[in-house]
Amino acid sequence: MPSFPIVDSHVHLYDPAQLRYSWLKRVPQIDRRYDLADFDRCRGEVAVDKIVFAEVWVDPGLHLEEAAWVQKLADADPRLRGMVAHAPLEKGAAVAADLEKLQAFPILRGIRRLIEIEADPSFCLEPGFLEGVRLLPRYGLTFDICVKHWAMAFALELVRRCPDVQFVLDHIGKPGIRQGLREPWWSQIKELARMPNVVVKISGVITEADHARWTKDEVVPYVAHVLDCFGFARCMYGSDWTVSELTHTYPQWVAILDEVIHGCSEAEARQLYRGTAERVYRV
């Protein structure tokens, strides 16, 4: 385990009794309230002193209510320093009204509008969506890209078309670990790393393997490849808790990353576990 507290750049918190999350009905194992007390129980002995909340695919029209609920949690727990909220960027210029309202929440740091849930990932290249994404720098906000490996080509093009936006690739682009696939994801990660306005979350990797039979040896090469391509200064640790609970414990993921970076300097480890998230999300 790291000898210092870490920054978790990707934590999901939610309460189905407060807001509606239709997708949770398909995942009954985690279909209940999860708050920071649950997080503390699950993280075990891993010390975490800063947390960034990631939006949880709340039902349409409830994104402002979700942000307000999370801000209340942050007001009660100073570890919750950042929020990546949902905004309907496909509205184009009209999304400015949503972004203005989200400015009311002090922990707002970025926006995520899920792409992976769309049947056609070219959705993210529609004129309205691009217009919405290009508004984000005006508000000092990042954009989290969440796509499956088969849609990485669209993520690449999105980044090319929005050079002034700071992008964060969630879950290393969700490679096809379960199917044993490397290409074209392997080459696309190299290509994405050549774009200076992208950083990557080392998160949500094990859930792309077989949930019941995954092995560490399956997962490690994908993580190592991302670190090789982006370097420590452009990679940040994330747990993807609570989704991570479907496949592994919180300490297991930290132990795997520790093994991947064995032999690195303490400065590099601090960059992965703290520095990149602190810089990008300003926490």
Side-chain angles (χ1 to χ4, degrees), residues 159-194:
V159 172
R160 287 191 194 100
R161 296 190 190 185
C162 303
D164 296 326
V165 177
Q166 174 65 69
F167 289 98
V168 181
L169 179 67
D170 288 351
H171 314 325
I172 71 171
K174 295 196 168 188
I177 302 173
R178 186 180 293 104
Q179 300 84 9
L181 299 176
R182 294 200 178 186
E183 294 294 351
W185 174 89
W186 200 265
S187 298
Q188 288 167 332
I189 285 291
K190 290 181 181 179
E191 188 176 354
L192 197 62
R194 290 194 284 269

Side-chain angles (χ1 to χ4, degrees), residues 48-252:
V48 180
D49 68 349
K50 297 178 185 180
I51 296 165
V52 178
F53 165 84
E55 63 90 18
V56 196
W57 192 8
V58 71
D59 282 9
L62 297 176
H63 55 288
L64 295 175
E65 287 86 346
E66 178 183 51
W69 183 76
V70 174
Q71 182 65 55
K72 286 182 180 178
L73 296 181
D75 292 342
D77 192 323
R79 292 176 301 171
L80 188 46
R81 300 286 188 92
M83 171 168 57
V84 179
H86 170 89
L89 296 175
E90 63 272 24
K91 290 167 62 175
V95 79
D98 297 82
L99 299 177
E100 292 286 351
K101 291 173 182 175
L102 286 167
Q103 294 297 300
F105 305 114
I107 63 168
L108 181 69
R109 296 294 183 270
I111 297 296
R112 183 169 82 157
R113 169 40 171 108
L114 285 172
I115 300 168
E116 71 165 331
I117 63 173
E118 300 295 328
D120 181 357
S122 67
F123 169 85
C124 69
L125 303 180
E126 292 292 330
F129 194 94
L130 291 170
E131 187 177 21
V133 171
R134 289 169 181 152
L135 282 176
L136 298 181
R138 181 186 305 176
Y139 297 91
L141 299 173
T142 62
F143 182 72
D144 271 45
I145 301 174
C146 191
V147 294
K148 296 277 190 180
H149 62 94
W150 46 266
M152 277 284 286
F154 299 97
L156 281 161
E157 189 59 29
L158 174 63
V159 172
R160 287 191 194 100
R161 296 190 190 185
C162 303
D164 296 326
V165 177
Q166 174 65 69
F167 289 98
V168 181
L169 179 67
D170 288 351
H171 314 325
I172 71 171
K174 295 196 168 188
I177 302 173
R178 186 180 293 104
Q179 300 84 9
L181 299 176
R182 294 200 178 186
E183 294 294 351
W185 174 89
W186 200 265
S187 298
Q188 288 167 332
I189 285 291
K190 290 181 181 179
E191 188 176 354
L192 197 62
R194 290 194 284 269
M195 302 180 188
N197 58 326
V198 186
V199 298
V200 179
K201 282 184 184 175
I202 309 293
S203 62
V205 181
I206 295 175
T207 45
E208 297 310 304
D210 186 291
H211 285 197
R213 294 183 292 274
W214 68 271
T215 68
K216 178 184 64 178
D217 291 342
E218 284 179 293
V219 170
V220 164
Y222 294 89
V223 176
H225 179 63
V226 172
L227 279 167
D228 286 344
C229 291
F230 278 86
F232 288 89
R234 294 172 65 200
C235 290
M236 65 175 82
Y237 165 81
S239 65
D240 196 26
W241 187 88
T242 62
V243 177
S244 59
E245 291 292 303
L246 297 173
T247 54
H248 60 282
T249 68
Y250 198 103
Q252 272 183 300

Side-chain angles (χ1 to χ4, degrees), residues 32-43 241-242:
R32 65 170 182 83
R33 178 185 171 101
Y34 279 95
D35 56 23
L36 288 165
D38 295 297
F39 177 81
D40 285 334
R41 175 178 52 80
C42 292
R43 68 177 171 83
W241 187 88
T242 62

